[in-house]
Amino acid sequence: MKKFIIDADTGSDDAVAILLALQDPQVDVLGITVVSGNVPLQQGIINTLSTIEATEQNIKVYAGAHKPLVRDYIEIHSLSDFTEHVKSLSPVSASAQSVHGIDGMGDIGITSKFSEYEEKNAIDFLVETINKNPDEITLVTLGPLTNIALALEKDPSISTKIKHCYVMGGTSDGTGNVSAAAEFNIWVDPEAAKRVFDSGLKITMVGWDNSYKYAMLKEDEIKKLRALNSKLADFSVDIQKVLINLTKEWYDFYGFDLPDPITMAIALDNSIIEESQDLHVIIDTRDGITRGQTIVDYFNVENKNKNTRVVTKSSNKKFMNMLMDLLS
Ligand code: RIB
Ligand code: CA
């Protein structure tokens, strides 16, 4: 069995990524740590619990950071307010409730019978579990990197004890989804991302470019998922309601992209990677129009250590096959 820890800011795409890991028979999910990002921490915990409940499994959930390392964090519910906030170049971070819903799960009334999460906090769980399982744990991060940065601060030695860390974050082609330069997870907490990318941790970065290029589900793909007549497939589509409306508004077609699930899929099956390069990645932590940018040094101009396997192309076919298989 492969030992996984998942760190998430559980919104509607994190939930599908979590389902993939929980449904993979070769994976033992030791715990899910939650961080503020898409939604505030407590809502992320509720969403994580309701996602686990859908699989009828018993997975431990740990509360992590309620805000980024050094930045304040606010809830913003409307897309126009979020856009204005980003354009104002404010140093304050904000939720993505305008993308995933105020509850983060499409605002369709998802509730959970479960309310219990662990007494132990996420940072202690990460440090203790990694030290107890040196070089055995695959860490998959689906939200801002605050929890991981705090765990590295508590025990820097874990950077050499984590088997591999798959990060949904940044982009390999310079595109941004929050601003022209930045992807949301890095933009929320660039200071945390810098600490993680500079820590020596073995990282595979699956940027948002893989999502909009190779994990965009349109009418046909959604019909195939619905045709499974499965609770998990229907749950996975239903909770995208707000994102579907936004996609229609932004791109003028019916569908949604799945950044966290394609990152999880790659962690579960590396053959989904079609092209990648080991490169140095720099995180811009300055406030301004490039805050949160992942600067990929393709020509090694800065002659720095190649700290990251940057995924530049993934297999949409293999990704869709995995979705159909694990959500059936
Ligand atoms: O930019 C996409 C990322 O931001 C995904 O992880 C999504 O869940 C949000 O957290
Ligand atoms: Ca996420």
Side-chain angles (χ1 to χ4, degrees):
M1 291 288 268
K2 293 181 268 187
K3 294 179 179 178
F4 272 46
I5 292 177
I6 302 169
D7 188 73
D9 60 336
T10 309
S12 59
D13 66 316
D14 304 68
V16 180
I18 291 168
L19 290 178
L20 294 181
L22 295 184
Q23 293 301 101
D24 185 322
Q26 295 174 15
V27 168
D28 178 12
V29 176
L30 303 183
I32 301 176
T33 53
V34 187
V35 64
S36 277
N38 279 321
V39 291
L41 177 65
Q42 286 307 319
Q43 185 63 53
I45 290 169
I46 292 166
N47 296 344
T48 305
L49 292 168
S50 56
T51 301
I52 294 166
E53 187 181 337
T55 68
E56 293 164 15
Q57 295 180 46
N58 180 16
I59 306 292
K60 293 186 185 307
V61 176
Y62 299 85
H66 66 281
K67 66 178 284 293
L69 288 184
V70 295
R71 293 171 185 269
D72 288 335
Y73 170 86
I74 57 173
E75 289 187 55
I76 295 184
H77 293 175
S78 86
L79 186 61
S80 55
D81 290 350
F82 184 83
T83 306
E84 279 316 300
H85 176 78
V86 172
K87 278 165 51 179
S88 75
L89 303 182
S90 160
V92 171
S93 294
S95 65
Q97 290 164 288
S98 58
V99 175
H100 297 276
I102 291 172
D103 73 358
M105 299 280 268
D107 292 338
I108 58 171
I110 296 282
T111 55
S112 171
K113 285 202 305 286
F114 298 167
S115 59
E116 297 297 310
Y117 58 95
E118 300 307 301
E119 192 70 33
K120 181 179 293 180
N121 74 56
I123 311 317
D124 292 339
F125 165 74
L126 283 162
V127 170
E128 288 169 21
T129 310
I130 291 161
N131 276 305
K132 278 184 196 151
N133 301 272
D135 207 30
E136 290 186 64
I137 288 178
T138 296
L139 175 62
V140 184
T141 72
L142 307 173
L145 290 164
T146 319
N147 288 345
I148 315 310
L150 289 169
L152 285 162
E153 187 180 298
K154 188 177 177 80
D155 180 356
S157 77
I158 64 171
S159 65
T160 60
K161 297 172 186 168
I162 293 168
K163 184 178 178 185
H164 202 88
C165 181
Y166 293 86
V167 172
M168 192 285 124
T171 57
S172 72
D173 64 357
T175 54
N177 61 9
V178 168
S179 64
E183 175 278 327
F184 179 77
N185 287 338
I186 310 298
W187 175 86
V188 166
D189 199 343
E191 288 76 17
K194 176 170 178 51
R195 286 197 203 176
V196 172
F197 277 78
D198 289 352
S199 69
L201 193 52
K202 293 183 281 296
I203 292 174
T204 292
M205 183 180 97
V206 184
W208 179 63
D209 46 313
N210 289 278
S211 183
Y212 73 81
K213 290 177 185 171
Y214 313 113
M216 183 70 83
L217 275 64
K218 296 187 178 179
E219 198 118 24
D220 287 352
E221 292 82 7
I222 296 170
K223 275 184 186 159
K224 283 177 186 163
L225 280 176
R226 288 291 193 197
L228 291 173
N229 285 319
S230 101
K231 175 180 142 188
L232 296 185
D234 286 341
F235 174 87
S236 298
V237 175
D238 292 344
I239 59 178
Q240 312 304 334
K241 185 176 178 198
V242 174
L243 180 55
I244 286 171
N245 293 339
L246 203 69
T247 303
K248 181 69 182 158
E249 191 183 321
W250 264 343
Y251 303 117
D252 195 26
F253 64 76
Y254 174 79
F256 53 87
D257 69 313
L258 289 174
D260 292 341
I262 194 166
T263 302
M264 181 62 77
I266 284 170
L268 295 171
D269 176 5
N270 270 204
S271 76
I272 292 178
I273 298 173
E274 291 196 337
E275 280 175 19
S276 68
Q277 292 180 56
D278 291 342
L279 296 161
H280 187 75
V281 174
I282 302 161
I283 310 292
D284 190 346
T285 58
R286 298 166 302 171
D287 289 325
I289 57 173
T290 57
R291 163 200 161 172
Q293 183 171 21
T294 46
I295 303 160
V296 182
D297 188 357
Y298 281 100
F299 293 97
N300 197 22
V301 174
E302 308 234 345
N303 197 25
K304 289 188 176 167
N305 68 315
K306 296 177 178 177
N307 57 350
T308 305
R309 173 171 62 169
V310 178
V311 180
T312 51
K313 191 175 178 190
S314 320
S315 166
N316 169 262
K317 185 171 186 302
K318 287 186 176 180
F319 172 60
M320 277 308 298
N321 288 344
M322 182 183 280
L323 278 184
M324 299 293 283
D325 176 34
L326 294 181
L327 297 179
S328 61

PDB file of all heavy atoms in Angstrom, residues 7-15 17 35 37-38 100 141-144 168 183-185 259-261, ligand 2:
ATOM      1  N   ASP A   7      -3.197  17.467   1.800  1.00  0.00           N
ATOM      2  CA  ASP A   7      -3.395  18.786   2.412  1.00  0.00           C
ATOM      3  C   ASP A   7      -4.321  19.574   1.478  1.00  0.00           C
ATOM      4  O   ASP A   7      -4.021  19.722   0.295  1.00  0.00           O
ATOM      5  CB  ASP A   7      -2.056  19.516   2.585  1.00  0.00           C
ATOM      6  CG  ASP A   7      -2.209  20.816   3.392  1.00  0.00           C
ATOM      7  OD1 ASP A   7      -2.405  20.734   4.605  1.00  0.00           O
ATOM      8  OD2 ASP A   7      -2.168  21.902   2.782  1.00  0.00           O
ATOM      9  N   ALA A   8      -5.450  20.031   1.998  1.00  0.00           N
ATOM     10  CA  ALA A   8      -6.466  20.600   1.096  1.00  0.00           C
ATOM     11  C   ALA A   8      -7.146  21.832   1.687  1.00  0.00           C
ATOM     12  O   ALA A   8      -7.240  21.994   2.908  1.00  0.00           O
ATOM     13  CB  ALA A   8      -7.523  19.534   0.783  1.00  0.00           C
ATOM     14  N   ASP A   9      -7.655  22.677   0.765  1.00  0.00           N
ATOM     15  CA  ASP A   9      -8.504  23.802   1.175  1.00  0.00           C
ATOM     16  C   ASP A   9      -9.912  23.499   0.642  1.00  0.00           C
ATOM     17  O   ASP A   9     -10.506  24.266  -0.096  1.00  0.00           O
ATOM     18  CB  ASP A   9      -7.977  25.134   0.641  1.00  0.00           C
ATOM     19  CG  ASP A   9      -7.902  25.195  -0.889  1.00  0.00           C
ATOM     20  OD1 ASP A   9      -7.806  24.137  -1.548  1.00  0.00           O
ATOM     21  OD2 ASP A   9      -7.969  26.319  -1.432  1.00  0.00           O
ATOM     22  N   THR A  10     -10.453  22.380   1.077  1.00  0.00           N
ATOM     23  CA  THR A  10     -11.518  21.669   0.374  1.00  0.00           C
ATOM     24  C   THR A  10     -12.675  22.534  -0.115  1.00  0.00           C
ATOM     25  O   THR A  10     -13.533  22.960   0.648  1.00  0.00           O
ATOM     26  CB  THR A  10     -12.045  20.508   1.227  1.00  0.00           C
ATOM     27  OG1 THR A  10     -10.898  19.736   1.644  1.00  0.00           O
ATOM     28  CG2 THR A  10     -12.971  19.605   0.428  1.00  0.00           C
ATOM     29  N   GLY A  11     -12.594  22.627  -1.407  1.00  0.00           N
ATOM     30  CA  GLY A  11     -13.584  23.207  -2.286  1.00  0.00           C
ATOM     31  C   GLY A  11     -13.979  22.124  -3.265  1.00  0.00           C
ATOM     32  O   GLY A  11     -13.609  20.953  -3.120  1.00  0.00           O
ATOM     33  N   SER A  12     -14.709  22.515  -4.284  1.00  0.00           N
ATOM     34  CA  SER A  12     -15.360  21.517  -5.139  1.00  0.00           C
ATOM     35  C   SER A  12     -14.392  20.676  -5.970  1.00  0.00           C
ATOM     36  O   SER A  12     -14.717  19.538  -6.325  1.00  0.00           O
ATOM     37  CB  SER A  12     -16.354  22.222  -6.070  1.00  0.00           C
ATOM     38  OG  SER A  12     -15.692  23.183  -6.865  1.00  0.00           O
ATOM     39  N   ASP A  13     -13.205  21.181  -6.253  1.00  0.00           N
ATOM     40  CA  ASP A  13     -12.276  20.316  -7.000  1.00  0.00           C
ATOM     41  C   ASP A  13     -11.400  19.504  -6.060  1.00  0.00           C
ATOM     42  O   ASP A  13     -11.084  18.334  -6.337  1.00  0.00           O
ATOM     43  CB  ASP A  13     -11.430  21.113  -8.009  1.00  0.00           C
ATOM     44  CG  ASP A  13     -10.481  22.092  -7.355  1.00  0.00           C
ATOM     45  OD1 ASP A  13     -10.903  22.789  -6.413  1.00  0.00           O
ATOM     46  OD2 ASP A  13      -9.324  22.154  -7.786  1.00  0.00           O
ATOM     47  N   ASP A  14     -11.044  20.089  -4.900  1.00  0.00           N
ATOM     48  CA  ASP A  14     -10.322  19.302  -3.885  1.00  0.00           C
ATOM     49  C   ASP A  14     -11.113  18.033  -3.556  1.00  0.00           C
ATOM     50  O   ASP A  14     -10.556  16.952  -3.413  1.00  0.00           O
ATOM     51  CB  ASP A  14     -10.171  20.089  -2.588  1.00  0.00           C
ATOM     52  CG  ASP A  14      -9.501  21.436  -2.740  1.00  0.00           C
ATOM     53  OD1 ASP A  14     -10.100  22.335  -3.360  1.00  0.00           O
ATOM     54  OD2 ASP A  14      -8.374  21.592  -2.231  1.00  0.00           O
ATOM     55  N   ALA A  15     -12.444  18.195  -3.438  1.00  0.00           N
ATOM     56  CA  ALA A  15     -13.284  17.066  -3.043  1.00  0.00           C
ATOM     57  C   ALA A  15     -13.145  15.910  -4.023  1.00  0.00           C
ATOM     58  O   ALA A  15     -13.035  14.743  -3.619  1.00  0.00           O
ATOM     59  CB  ALA A  15     -14.749  17.521  -2.950  1.00  0.00           C
ATOM     60  N   ALA A  17     -10.568  15.302  -5.950  1.00  0.00           N
ATOM     61  CA  ALA A  17      -9.203  14.765  -5.769  1.00  0.00           C
ATOM     62  C   ALA A  17      -9.152  13.833  -4.563  1.00  0.00           C
ATOM     63  O   ALA A  17      -8.559  12.751  -4.620  1.00  0.00           O
ATOM     64  CB  ALA A  17      -8.220  15.916  -5.603  1.00  0.00           C
ATOM     65  N   VAL A  35      -6.571  23.575   5.297  1.00  0.00           N
ATOM     66  CA  VAL A  35      -5.999  24.931   5.361  1.00  0.00           C
ATOM     67  C   VAL A  35      -6.993  25.923   4.762  1.00  0.00           C
ATOM     68  O   VAL A  35      -7.780  25.560   3.872  1.00  0.00           O
ATOM     69  CB  VAL A  35      -4.656  24.971   4.585  1.00  0.00           C
ATOM     70  CG1 VAL A  35      -4.856  24.692   3.086  1.00  0.00           C
ATOM     71  CG2 VAL A  35      -3.934  26.299   4.788  1.00  0.00           C
ATOM     72  N   GLY A  37      -8.314  28.606   2.315  1.00  0.00           N
ATOM     73  CA  GLY A  37      -7.948  28.925   0.918  1.00  0.00           C
ATOM     74  C   GLY A  37      -9.214  29.210   0.136  1.00  0.00           C
ATOM     75  O   GLY A  37      -9.792  30.282   0.237  1.00  0.00           O
ATOM     76  N   ASN A  38      -9.705  28.178  -0.546  1.00  0.00           N
ATOM     77  CA  ASN A  38     -10.986  28.340  -1.272  1.00  0.00           C
ATOM     78  C   ASN A  38     -12.053  28.917  -0.341  1.00  0.00           C
ATOM     79  O   ASN A  38     -12.830  29.793  -0.697  1.00  0.00           O
ATOM     80  CB  ASN A  38     -11.496  26.977  -1.753  1.00  0.00           C
ATOM     81  CG  ASN A  38     -10.829  26.531  -3.033  1.00  0.00           C
ATOM     82  OD1 ASN A  38     -10.584  27.354  -3.914  1.00  0.00           O
ATOM     83  ND2 ASN A  38     -10.525  25.251  -3.128  1.00  0.00           N
ATOM     84  N   HIS A 100     -16.075  28.696  -6.236  1.00  0.00           N
ATOM     85  CA  HIS A 100     -16.540  27.364  -5.819  1.00  0.00           C
ATOM     86  C   HIS A 100     -17.866  27.411  -5.062  1.00  0.00           C
ATOM     87  O   HIS A 100     -18.434  26.365  -4.742  1.00  0.00           O
ATOM     88  CB  HIS A 100     -15.473  26.701  -4.931  1.00  0.00           C
ATOM     89  CG  HIS A 100     -14.182  26.463  -5.659  1.00  0.00           C
ATOM     90  ND1 HIS A 100     -13.951  25.355  -6.442  1.00  0.00           N
ATOM     91  CD2 HIS A 100     -13.059  27.211  -5.742  1.00  0.00           C
ATOM     92  CE1 HIS A 100     -12.736  25.428  -6.977  1.00  0.00           C
ATOM     93  NE2 HIS A 100     -12.180  26.546  -6.575  1.00  0.00           N
ATOM     94  N   THR A 141      -0.494  18.257  -2.053  1.00  0.00           N
ATOM     95  CA  THR A 141      -1.041  19.528  -1.568  1.00  0.00           C
ATOM     96  C   THR A 141      -1.976  20.117  -2.625  1.00  0.00           C
ATOM     97  O   THR A 141      -1.612  20.233  -3.795  1.00  0.00           O
ATOM     98  CB  THR A 141       0.085  20.534  -1.255  1.00  0.00           C
ATOM     99  OG1 THR A 141       0.667  21.006  -2.460  1.00  0.00           O
ATOM    100  CG2 THR A 141       1.151  19.906  -0.366  1.00  0.00           C
ATOM    101  N   LEU A 142      -3.172  20.487  -2.153  1.00  0.00           N
ATOM    102  CA  LEU A 142      -4.227  20.948  -3.055  1.00  0.00           C
ATOM    103  C   LEU A 142      -4.658  22.386  -2.759  1.00  0.00           C
ATOM    104  O   LEU A 142      -5.602  22.890  -3.381  1.00  0.00           O
ATOM    105  CB  LEU A 142      -5.439  20.020  -2.941  1.00  0.00           C
ATOM    106  CG  LEU A 142      -5.169  18.519  -3.124  1.00  0.00           C
ATOM    107  CD1 LEU A 142      -6.416  17.713  -2.828  1.00  0.00           C
ATOM    108  CD2 LEU A 142      -4.638  18.229  -4.515  1.00  0.00           C
ATOM    109  N   GLY A 143      -3.989  23.022  -1.823  1.00  0.00           N
ATOM    110  CA  GLY A 143      -4.360  24.383  -1.440  1.00  0.00           C
ATOM    111  C   GLY A 143      -3.115  25.217  -1.189  1.00  0.00           C
ATOM    112  O   GLY A 143      -1.999  24.819  -1.544  1.00  0.00           O
ATOM    113  N   PRO A 144      -3.290  26.393  -0.575  1.00  0.00           N
ATOM    114  CA  PRO A 144      -2.125  27.189  -0.185  1.00  0.00           C
ATOM    115  C   PRO A 144      -1.197  26.367   0.707  1.00  0.00           C
ATOM    116  O   PRO A 144      -1.643  25.485   1.430  1.00  0.00           O
ATOM    117  CB  PRO A 144      -2.754  28.352   0.585  1.00  0.00           C
ATOM    118  CG  PRO A 144      -4.136  28.466   0.015  1.00  0.00           C
ATOM    119  CD  PRO A 144      -4.566  27.054  -0.287  1.00  0.00           C
ATOM    120  N   MET A 168      -0.317  21.008  -6.255  1.00  0.00           N
ATOM    121  CA  MET A 168      -1.179  21.710  -7.222  1.00  0.00           C
ATOM    122  C   MET A 168      -0.940  23.177  -6.955  1.00  0.00           C
ATOM    123  O   MET A 168      -1.350  23.714  -5.926  1.00  0.00           O
ATOM    124  CB  MET A 168      -2.665  21.391  -7.014  1.00  0.00           C
ATOM    125  CG  MET A 168      -3.514  21.894  -8.192  1.00  0.00           C
ATOM    126  SD  MET A 168      -3.750  23.700  -8.193  1.00  0.00           S
ATOM    127  CE  MET A 168      -3.120  24.118  -9.827  1.00  0.00           C
ATOM    128  N   GLU A 183      -1.355  31.908  -9.918  1.00  0.00           N
ATOM    129  CA  GLU A 183      -2.375  30.882  -9.666  1.00  0.00           C
ATOM    130  C   GLU A 183      -2.808  31.016  -8.205  1.00  0.00           C
ATOM    131  O   GLU A 183      -2.002  31.390  -7.334  1.00  0.00           O
ATOM    132  CB  GLU A 183      -1.737  29.502  -9.963  1.00  0.00           C
ATOM    133  CG  GLU A 183      -2.608  28.320  -9.651  1.00  0.00           C
ATOM    134  CD  GLU A 183      -2.560  27.967  -8.168  1.00  0.00           C
ATOM    135  OE1 GLU A 183      -1.521  28.149  -7.530  1.00  0.00           O
ATOM    136  OE2 GLU A 183      -3.604  27.562  -7.633  1.00  0.00           O
ATOM    137  N   PHE A 184      -4.046  30.664  -7.882  1.00  0.00           N
ATOM    138  CA  PHE A 184      -4.635  30.964  -6.572  1.00  0.00           C
ATOM    139  C   PHE A 184      -3.841  30.428  -5.384  1.00  0.00           C
ATOM    140  O   PHE A 184      -3.587  31.158  -4.414  1.00  0.00           O
ATOM    141  CB  PHE A 184      -6.071  30.412  -6.540  1.00  0.00           C
ATOM    142  CG  PHE A 184      -6.795  30.638  -5.238  1.00  0.00           C
ATOM    143  CD1 PHE A 184      -7.330  31.887  -4.918  1.00  0.00           C
ATOM    144  CD2 PHE A 184      -6.930  29.607  -4.313  1.00  0.00           C
ATOM    145  CE1 PHE A 184      -7.998  32.098  -3.709  1.00  0.00           C
ATOM    146  CE2 PHE A 184      -7.591  29.808  -3.106  1.00  0.00           C
ATOM    147  CZ  PHE A 184      -8.116  31.065  -2.806  1.00  0.00           C
ATOM    148  N   ASN A 185      -3.485  29.140  -5.382  1.00  0.00           N
ATOM    149  CA  ASN A 185      -2.861  28.553  -4.196  1.00  0.00           C
ATOM    150  C   ASN A 185      -1.561  29.265  -3.818  1.00  0.00           C
ATOM    151  O   ASN A 185      -1.264  29.462  -2.640  1.00  0.00           O
ATOM    152  CB  ASN A 185      -2.571  27.064  -4.413  1.00  0.00           C
ATOM    153  CG  ASN A 185      -3.836  26.223  -4.390  1.00  0.00           C
ATOM    154  OD1 ASN A 185      -4.845  26.636  -3.826  1.00  0.00           O
ATOM    155  ND2 ASN A 185      -3.790  25.069  -5.028  1.00  0.00           N
ATOM    156  N   PRO A 259      -8.248  21.175 -11.439  1.00  0.00           N
ATOM    157  CA  PRO A 259      -6.811  21.260 -11.140  1.00  0.00           C
ATOM    158  C   PRO A 259      -6.346  20.295 -10.050  1.00  0.00           C
ATOM    159  O   PRO A 259      -5.304  19.644 -10.190  1.00  0.00           O
ATOM    160  CB  PRO A 259      -6.625  22.725 -10.707  1.00  0.00           C
ATOM    161  CG  PRO A 259      -7.994  23.251 -10.400  1.00  0.00           C
ATOM    162  CD  PRO A 259      -8.959  22.454 -11.209  1.00  0.00           C
ATOM    163  N   ASP A 260      -7.098  20.213  -8.955  1.00  0.00           N
ATOM    164  CA  ASP A 260      -6.674  19.293  -7.886  1.00  0.00           C
ATOM    165  C   ASP A 260      -6.768  17.825  -8.312  1.00  0.00           C
ATOM    166  O   ASP A 260      -5.838  17.045  -8.043  1.00  0.00           O
ATOM    167  CB  ASP A 260      -7.521  19.536  -6.638  1.00  0.00           C
ATOM    168  CG  ASP A 260      -7.231  20.894  -6.020  1.00  0.00           C
ATOM    169  OD1 ASP A 260      -6.170  21.482  -6.322  1.00  0.00           O
ATOM    170  OD2 ASP A 260      -8.061  21.388  -5.250  1.00  0.00           O
ATOM    171  N   PRO A 261      -7.864  17.412  -8.978  1.00  0.00           N
ATOM    172  CA  PRO A 261      -7.926  16.019  -9.400  1.00  0.00           C
ATOM    173  C   PRO A 261      -6.830  15.588 -10.380  1.00  0.00           C
ATOM    174  O   PRO A 261      -6.314  14.465 -10.265  1.00  0.00           O
ATOM    175  CB  PRO A 261      -9.321  15.916 -10.041  1.00  0.00           C
ATOM    176  CG  PRO A 261     -10.127  16.939  -9.302  1.00  0.00           C
ATOM    177  CD  PRO A 261      -9.163  18.082  -9.085  1.00  0.00           C
TER     178      PRO A 261
HETATM  179 CA    CA B   2      -7.679  23.363  -3.747  1.00  0.00          CA
END
